[in-house]
Every structure is written in structure tokens, then in C-alpha cells.
Amino acid sequence: MNKHRIIKVILAFLCFVVLVVGVVWAFMLFFGGRVLKGITIVIEQYVAQSSVLIVGLCIAVTILLLKLLASRKINHPKQYYAIIIIGLTISGLNAASLLATPYTIINTNQEFDTAFDLDWENSIPSNIYKYFLPSPYFFSSHFLSIPEREIIVEKDVLFYTGENITLYFDVYRSKMDASQLPGNGSIIINLHPGAWMSGGKGTWNMISTSKYLAGQGYVVFDIEYGLIDWFEYAAEAPDTPEYVMGNFTIEDQIRHIGIFTNRCASEFAATYGGNLDCVYFMGRSAGAHLGGVAGLGYNNDFHNTTFSPNITVKGVIPLYPPSAAPEFLLKENKTTNPDLYNAYDLVHLADPQDPPVLIFQGTSDGQVWIERVIALEANLESKGVKCCLVKFPFAGHANDFVLSSNIGQVWSYYLERFLYLTQHIS
Amino acid sequence: MKISKKMIKYLCIISFGANIALILMGIFHYFIGLNIVFGTSFSILIVLSWFLNIILIVYNDYKIVKSSLMGKKIHHLGYGFVGVNIIDIILLVAGLFLLNANWFSPILQYSLIIFGFFSFFIYGSIFSYLNLKSLDKREVWQFE
């Protein structure tokens, strides 16, 4: 074989490898990690938000294959045309998430219409709209990202030492006067994912979203809480700091968040220009559960000494939330102490005085199943809580990592509107 | 389908114009921010230009005389264009994911995105220009 032919064979082989990856990606889009479990639960997190680029990649390698096998068009036309069909089919399947974007937009608009009345869009002043995304999705922004506004980031600010751990937070805020921006200095307490036993602030708590919200005039506190060292989970989050690990339960984690709210009310809000009359709890996965407990439970008798009484919670933003704590991660189980269990169950904590809730959920999530989140929304609404579920077809767990993806853009579009609308609900 | 010289000529002109327009729009994207008219036209033009570039590569395979020196050059440039496309997509995926990470400097993150986006359309404009320039050379193209 001459040199050219060897290169051609290697290239053709690599093209087939990419198409096989395209098949795996398409499978993960449709079924998530729910079917195969194991490593697919981790892979699922990267699939939907990269699928548009995988479409481009599959089309490109199909074209390359056609160029490489051009001579076969005459001698083996069936093989040649089969490659076209296979390549385009794989690309088409990977486009499912992108093609479902209009469905997400229509569906979320209906959710907002129900929660905030049909006129909600007109209730936002035109001078505020100039700071918002003008459209739920721009294909151009998908590649070039959403332009950032000038912000200030302060990292590793200590807020708690004790129980053999130290807890820090990162704070994101605008360089501009927040009172001139939609956020008006409202505080967002951002809780990281990681199955209550792993993860940390920063990278895995979606820095891009924190930066984007800071640019809108929100003061975003990305905080740590003590993590459970005696529990193991297959899909644990990376970058877990050793200094937060301890012999904890979920009750301790809520207590750590409570400590932060108290220090925030007494000190940090003033330092960073945060508005205590407008506080949001936002969290991802396990952080969404903890944020839900804090946001829906801060007015509950069980938790009434945990959180600062000087904050007013205006909204809860759980992304891919488990609706209740796993029993074994509490000090007592459901049978021996049902009141304790209920105090960490979002539905039991809900009451008509609770603030509105905006939920992010992908339908292909293998860790937090869509059926359970739909039930959570229905149960919260039956308890009198305003609730909007932003449902992303084909998205898996943690699919808000890329802010400029079709998922990230649609989420940001409705998130900024939700935050503004709820600020002005008394 | 019969592909005439005129068709390839128009394809090259539109493709060249669209690639140049996208390079300029890509620069403006970071300066004028997000705007409904600009964002929509930019988005449509990206899809249009990408498909035009792909069509031009495919047409090349049908109509270029690979035995001629210029034809061989354009044919190889077609391979290079697909290669650049693949590399650019990988750079864009990496850049967009890393934008969320605090492990690297924003300069590196944006370099990956900017190089991934602009190199495709710069290569595309050169490729369509060379095609256009060689159209009148009878030894390069094979039209009925």
C-alpha cells in the first residue's frame, strides 16, 4: 500500500469512529443514562448541550468519507449512497435537541402564562428589556457565546470554621450600580450539585450562569456546605475539597446554609451590596434539594431557627431537583421519625405563603427522573405554590453547563424574566 | 442534476460574500451585543453559509479535473476544508465547555471559540475565491 492509501484508510477509519460516537450520542439523547446506567449517567451530562456541534461533526465526516470513497460511486454505488443515508440519519437524530427548542419555548410560555397571568411579558418595563436576552435562542450565540458584562468576582471568602471543616464562598456582582440593573442587588444563594457527598463551588456550579446573573445586577453567592464523607455514589461530582468533608447528614448541610444566611444578613449583604428583601435560593441536583428545603422551609416551624429572620425569600430555583432527601442521609428514618423526614421533603414543606418556584428539568435525565419532577410540580401547585417547569426534551442531568447552548440560552431567557417578575410580587 | 458553470459561479460568489459577511458579523457580535434583527440574520447566514460551503466541496468532487495542477490543488483544499471544519467543531466544543471552568484564563477559552469560528469562514472565503478564480480555466473544470 502506498502512503496516500494508508492515510486514506486511517482517515476513513477515524470517520467511522466519529459516526459510531454519533450513534452513541443519539442513543444518549433519546434514552439518557436511565437504560444502561453506569458510566452513561456521567456521559449523559455532556450529550444534549454538545449535540448541535455533533451534528456538524457527523455531517463533516460524512462529506470526508464521500470524498475518500469517491471512486466507489461508480463501482459500488450502493455503498456510496448508504454512507450518505447513514451519515445524515445520525446527524438528524443528533439534531433532536435543537429541533425540540420551539417546543420548550411554547411550553415554558404556557407555564409562565399560568403562573404569572397572560400579561406577564407586558408587566416588564421596556427599559429593563434592554438588559435581557432579546430572543430565547440565537444560533449565532450558540457558537460565539453570550457577550459578558463587566463584573467583579471575589473568591474563597471564609464564612464558617468548626466541626473540623472550613466553608468558603465565591461572590459575583456587577461593576455597574446594581440599582440601575434588573437585579437591583437581589441576592442569589447558589448551592452546588454532588449527591450531598461531593462537588464544590466554582466550575461545577456553573460559573457562566453566576457571571451572567451578576451582570444583570444580582449578587450571587456560590457557597460551600459540609459534605457527607460516609456515603458513596457512582456519579460523584469532581473537584471535591477535602476541607468540607465530615461525618454529616442532610440536617447538618441545611444548618450550614442557615449559618450562611445569618452571616449574610449581618455582614455580607452590606459588604457586597446585596438586598436582603429579595433573596433567592438556587441549586443544582442535591443543591436543588437543599435550596428547595431552604426556600420552601424557611417559614416552616421545624426550620424556624435555622435561617436568618432578616431575609425575604422571593423565589426558589431548583435545577434537576430530587424532591426529598434519601432517608439514610438523615439522622433518623421515615418510620422512626416521620416529622424529620417531612421537614426535608419539598412537597411537605410547601404552603401558599411560599415564593414561586422555577424548575429546570431534562426529559432524558437518568438520575432525577422527569416523571418525579412533573409530580413535584403538580404537588407544589396543589399546595398553592406558583410553579413553572422548564422542560427540555432530550436533555440529561446537569445540562445547563454551556450557557450558550440551545438549552442554556432558553433557560437563561426564562430565568432572568422569572427573577425580575418575582422581585415585584409582594 | 446537470451542474453548469454559471451555477458554480453564482455558488462561489454567494458563498464568498456570505463567508466575508459572517467574519464581519462575528466581530460585531462582541461589540454591539445581542439584538433581535442582527442575531436572527447572523443565525440564518451561518446556516446558509455552512451549507453553501459544503455544497461547494461536494460539487468540486464532481466537476474538478484532478489531473490538472490547479484542479489537484483545489481538490486538496477541499480535503483541508473538511479537516478545518472538524477541528473547528472540536475547538468550539472545548471552548464553550471550558468557558464555565475556572482552570484556564478567559483568553484561552475565548481563543478556542474565536479561532474555531473564524478560521472556518476565513478558509471558506479563500476556498470559494480560488474556485471562482479558476472557473475560466478549461483544464480545471469539466462542464458538459
Side-chain angles (χ1 to χ4, degrees), chain A residues 125-154:
Chain A
S126 55
N127 64 321
I128 292 296
Y129 269 116
K130 71 178 177 191
Y131 297 105
F132 284 175
L133 294 176
S135 166
Y137 180 61
F138 281 134
F139 194 63
S140 52
S141 301
H142 198 128
F143 302 106
L144 285 175
S145 74
I146 297 169
E148 287 180 17
R149 291 201 174 88
E150 283 198 304
I151 60 157
I152 302 166
V153 183
E154 205 169 313

Side-chain angles (χ1 to χ4, degrees), chain A residues 20-193:
Chain A
V20 171
V21 171
V23 172
V24 175
W25 238 239
F27 177 85
M28 295 300 297
L29 266 182
F30 283 86
F31 304 104
R34 213 163 145 168
V35 181
L36 299 176
K37 300 255 186 326
I39 188 74
T40 58
I41 282 181
V42 179
I43 296 171
E44 163 204 300
Q45 301 179 12
Y46 303 95
V47 171
Q49 42 195 341
S50 60
S51 64
V52 172
L53 296 165
I54 294 293
V55 173
L57 200 57
C58 287
I59 293 178
V61 298
T62 306
I63 303 290
L64 188 54
L65 270 176
L66 296 182
K67 281 182 87 68
L68 291 168
L69 305 174
S71 58
R72 291 194 167 243
K73 197 189 163 198
I74 297 148
N75 301 330
H76 306 279
K78 279 183 184 170
Q79 283 181 16
Y80 188 81
Y81 290 111
I83 288 168
I84 298 178
I85 293 166
I86 291 167
L88 292 182
T89 306
I90 296 169
S91 309
L93 290 172
N94 275 291
S97 168
L98 178 69
L99 298 175
T101 305
Y103 164 81
T104 308
I105 295 166
I106 294 165
N107 193 49
T108 312
N109 263 326
Q110 286 170 353
E111 292 274 325
F112 270 59
D113 289 348
T114 313
F116 301 112
D117 298 328
L118 290 168
D119 205 30
W120 64 270
E121 277 178 289
N122 294 330
S123 67
I124 301 171
S126 55
N127 64 321
I128 292 296
Y129 269 116
K130 71 178 177 191
Y131 297 105
F132 284 175
L133 294 176
S135 166
Y137 180 61
F138 281 134
F139 194 63
S140 52
S141 301
H142 198 128
F143 302 106
L144 285 175
S145 74
I146 297 169
E148 287 180 17
R149 291 201 174 88
E150 283 198 304
I151 60 157
I152 302 166
V153 183
E154 205 169 313
K155 287 184 179 174
D156 301 320
V157 182
L158 181 73
F159 76 91
Y160 179 65
T161 310
E163 305 166 79
N164 294 322
I165 59 164
T166 44
L167 300 176
Y168 298 87
F169 66 81
D170 295 342
V171 59
Y172 302 79
R173 61 200 163 103
S174 176
K175 259 189 182 171
M176 278 176 71
D177 177 7
S179 65
Q180 306 297 312
L181 296 166
N184 195 23
S186 301
I187 291 168
I188 297 174
I189 299 171
N190 201 9
L191 302 159
H192 67 79

Side-chain angles (χ1 to χ4, degrees), chain A residues 223-270:
Chain A
I223 73 165
E224 292 175 338
Y225 49 88
L227 297 174
I228 302 169
D229 64 0
W230 49 267
F231 168 50
E232 285 187 19
Y233 185 66
E236 68 175 78
D239 289 348
T240 309
E242 271 301 313
Y243 59 80
V244 297
M245 303 302 293
N247 182 22
F248 297 121
T249 59
I250 287 176
E251 293 96 310
D252 299 313
Q253 298 181 325
I254 289 293
R255 187 167 46 77
H256 295 151
I257 296 163
I259 290 168
F260 177 78
T261 62
N262 282 299
R263 288 214 58 191
C264 185
S266 63
E267 187 185 340
F268 302 135

